[in-house]
Amino acid sequence: MERPLTQHITFPPLEIRQYEAIGGYQAVRKAVRHMQPQEVTALVKESNMKGRGGAGFSTGMKWSFVPMDVPGPKYLVANADEMEPGTFKDRWLLEGNPHQLLEGMIVAAYAIQATEAFVFLRWAYKDAAIAVRKAIAEAYDAGYLGKDILGTGYSLEMHLHTGVGRYMCGEETALLNSLEGKRATPRAKPPFPQVSGLFGKPTIVNNVETLSFIPHIVNKGADWFKSLSRTADGGTKIYGVSGRVNKPGAWELPMGITMRELMEDYAGGMKNGFGFRGVLPGGASTDFLIEKHMDITLDFAGVAAAGSRLGTGTMVVLDDQTCPVGFVHNLEHFFAQESCGFCTPCREGLPWTEKLLWAIEQGRGRNEDLELLLRHTEWLGPGNTFCALAPGAMEPLQSALKYFRDDFERHIREHRCPYHDPVPAAPASAHLHHTHHL
Amino acid sequence: MLSMTEKEKIEEEIRQVPIKKAACIEALKIVQEHRRWVSDESIRDVADILDMSAEEVDSVATFYNLIFRQPVGRHIILLCDSISCYVMGLKGIHAELTRLLEIQYGQTTADGRFTLLPNPCLGTCDHAPAMMVDKDTYRDLQPSALADILEKYT
């Protein structure tokens, strides 16, 4: 089984000479010396690479929207603000092989003729920051970055930006506002960033896993990329599993393996004494899947057909001794806290949702609360909010109400949580960025 | 007042961006690096150097979880309170930490040694529960391991 993305991951990561020795930066040489920018984009489009950040949009298609004939700066951004709860795949790539990401970024930047590139890295990834900073310096020294790369006349500057903590920064237009030094609130689309992004200039934002794959597509071609997968969505995918399984972890596997293979062959099944109730297949903002979905294929279409989303492909397991109401309350607490507050349904609806769930979890719930929660999943659903945060937050809630309704009803009927003492979440006052005295 | 070092570092950031305002987050990070938190006075100083209003700078500062607008201790404990850690034993870790430190989330120990903060997902979910103390990440935490970890930070 080929594992192009992860086969050269080491801790500490390969230095540039070692990376070159295993074929590193060949894709940069090939692209900037022997391919037109549009050829690179066409190749990635032909590979049918779909973005690994969660939305699954065609990467080549995204690049093709950049107007190539406008003068002035253009930007490429690697979205390394991995903050989706339950997601830990990009950290592996960043800490374990930063040159692979840089190489993908340089090729992508060349394809859209970007003049500057940024790695937008989340604050908590301290080891990744060290690794990426070192890799950027090495790439400059070796002539892969800076002016006149490999004597071709193409120039690219690259910067590392470390964030200061806010989930919204993962949304690409909010990320751009944050790079401009502003609050990370999302922007209205259109115009799309491909046309008017960072500082109003054409900008592409791609996920770390997506960009890390680009060198391999350039080296080995679109057909090879498609052949890695078992389904129409090409490539390999990094899948991860956390929760009460025997072997929590992340694995690079062919796109389209089944949930059962992942859970049993790789995650090693449930820990002794724990049963499987459900799983969030792609991070906190995806619908639960349950036992009956065990044989679905884990590609974009397969998970969508089961009523959820592949998302980030990193899964969180709900076991039979963890309260589903408490589980969902934890998620909604996160979303309520991380809402940017810009649009009303999200700002008001998420704290309301959190309070309703907390009341039920504490045994203070009423039957009509379930109806109210269901109404929220519509009010905060797609089309009613400015960005995808609130609709994403409603996905685990709506599916929990569908699959674990008995648990919700039992909390209300028995005026208590049947699983364990409720685990309180931190109050807003516990976050020290809120207070101001001006 | 900003120190010469802070000023120089902020000026350096301003040179990296097309408009002064764009250096706002970097400027706040620089101040926090030097003073551990960002006071009202620092907000006004940053506003002056970036030709922004203090209110605008504060709107940025208060938006981000890890810009501190209140004094903090010498060491920051970020306890992951997201879903994988919730499933894997956050409750026991939280109980033991608050017992050892005798503080709640958002508070600083009387000796000024630690500030305890909740933090969304640290991205190490296969080794939950997890926390960070300053730049160090601790994984697969057990309540019994916490006292020894805290001992390392004086």
Side-chain angles (χ1 to χ4, degrees), chain A residues 403-419:
Chain A
Y403 297 130
F404 313 121
R405 192 166 176 108
D406 288 352
D407 286 285
F408 285 80
E409 287 172 350
R410 197 173 156 202
H411 278 73
I412 294 169
R413 200 169 54 241
E414 297 180 9
H415 303 291
R416 67 183 186 103
C417 172
Y419 291 84

Side-chain angles (χ1 to χ4, degrees), chain B residues 35 52 147-148:
Chain B
R35 300 163 188 253
M52 293 168 74
D148 286 345

Side-chain angles (χ1 to χ4, degrees), chain A residues 207-332:
Chain A
N207 169 262
V208 167
E209 187 182 349
T210 310
L211 288 165
S212 295
F213 228 121
I214 299 302
H216 305 291
I217 295 174
V218 168
N219 287 332
K220 296 182 180 163
D223 288 337
W224 167 85
F225 179 79
K226 289 179 189 167
S227 76
L228 293 172
S229 163
R230 291 195 196 163
T231 68
D233 297 331
T236 56
K237 173 79 192 85
I238 298 182
Y239 296 99
V241 180
S242 66
R244 297 212 184 270
V245 293
N246 280 312
K247 290 182 287 181
W251 308 271
E252 182 184 5
L253 299 167
M255 177 71 90
I257 62 151
T258 68
M259 176 81 89
R260 190 178 302 283
E261 285 171 275
L262 180 66
M263 287 298 164
E264 292 176 5
D265 301 348
Y266 295 94
M270 297 303 290
K271 267 192 168 51
N272 202 7
F274 292 90
F276 176 91
R277 287 294 306 278
V279 61
L280 302 176
S285 56
T286 56
D287 283 272
F288 279 100
L289 296 176
I290 56 172
E291 187 68 41
K292 72 172 180 187
H293 300 118
M294 269 296 169
D295 294 307
I296 66 164
T297 56
L298 295 175
D299 57 356
F300 292 100
V303 183
S308 186
R309 291 187 303 115
L310 180 61
T312 61
T314 33
M315 327 221 161
V316 188
V317 173
L318 169 69
D319 60 78
D320 63 355
Q321 287 166 50
T322 297
C323 173
V325 177
F327 188 104
V328 177
H329 171 261
N330 177 277
L331 299 175
E332 300 308 331

Side-chain angles (χ1 to χ4, degrees), chain A residues 339-348 384-387:
Chain A
S339 167
C340 77
F342 178 82
C343 74
T344 310
C346 186
R347 182 185 61 241
E348 303 297 325
N384 294 332
T385 60
F386 199 70
C387 83

Side-chain angles (χ1 to χ4, degrees), chain B residues 19-125:
Chain B
I19 47 170
K20 270 189 169 184
K21 269 185 178 188
C24 184
I25 292 172
E26 293 303 320
L28 291 165
K29 276 160 64 178
I30 289 165
V31 169
Q32 185 159 298
E33 230 167 72
H34 286 80
R35 300 163 188 253
R36 298 212 299 266
W37 71 292
V38 181
S39 67
D40 290 357
E41 188 199 347
S42 296
I43 290 281
R44 284 188 283 265
D45 291 340
V46 168
D48 284 344
I49 201 168
L50 297 179
D51 294 335
M52 293 168 74
S53 72
E55 288 73 15
E56 198 179 358
V57 173
D58 199 31
S59 82
V60 174
T62 54
F63 186 85
Y64 292 97
N65 297 338
L66 295 164
I67 296 293
F68 304 132
R69 288 289 280 112
Q70 296 175 44
V72 293
R74 292 195 294 284
H75 306 287
I76 306 282
I77 302 174
L78 296 177
L79 180 59
C80 176
D81 66 350
S82 282
I83 192 62
S84 304
C85 290
Y86 174 89
V87 170
M88 298 304 289
L90 165 66
K91 192 177 162 188
I93 302 299
H94 175 257
E96 180 64 1
L97 263 184
T98 49
R99 189 187 71 81
L100 289 168
L101 297 168
E102 300 180 333
I103 52 171
Q104 296 302 315
Y105 279 140
Q107 296 178 343
T108 299
T109 52
D111 57 2
R113 194 165 146 216
F114 292 108
T115 297
L116 175 65
L117 296 171
N119 194 72
C121 190
L122 291 175
T124 183
C125 319

Side-chain angles (χ1 to χ4, degrees), chain A residues 343-392:
Chain A
C343 74
T344 310
C346 186
R347 182 185 61 241
E348 303 297 325
L350 287 174
W352 195 358
T353 303
E354 187 199 343
K355 280 180 189 148
L356 287 166
L357 288 165
W358 184 233
I360 296 171
E361 174 70 345
Q362 283 189 306
R364 294 186 284 107
R366 307 162 305 169
N367 283 320
E368 54 268 37
D369 289 345
L370 295 183
E371 183 56 29
L372 200 46
L373 282 172
L374 263 181
R375 299 281 297 276
H376 272 80
T377 64
E378 294 158 20
W379 292 333
L380 276 64
N384 294 332
T385 60
F386 199 70
C387 83
L389 186 140

Side-chain angles (χ1 to χ4, degrees), chain A residues 16 18-19 25 122 125 129 140 143 151 158 177 221 229 260 283 371:
Chain A
I16 194 160
Q18 300 167 308
Y19 181 70
Y25 288 106
R122 72 171 295 200
Y125 285 10
Y140 267 103
M158 190 178 287
N177 276 340
S229 163
R260 190 178 302 283
E371 183 56 29

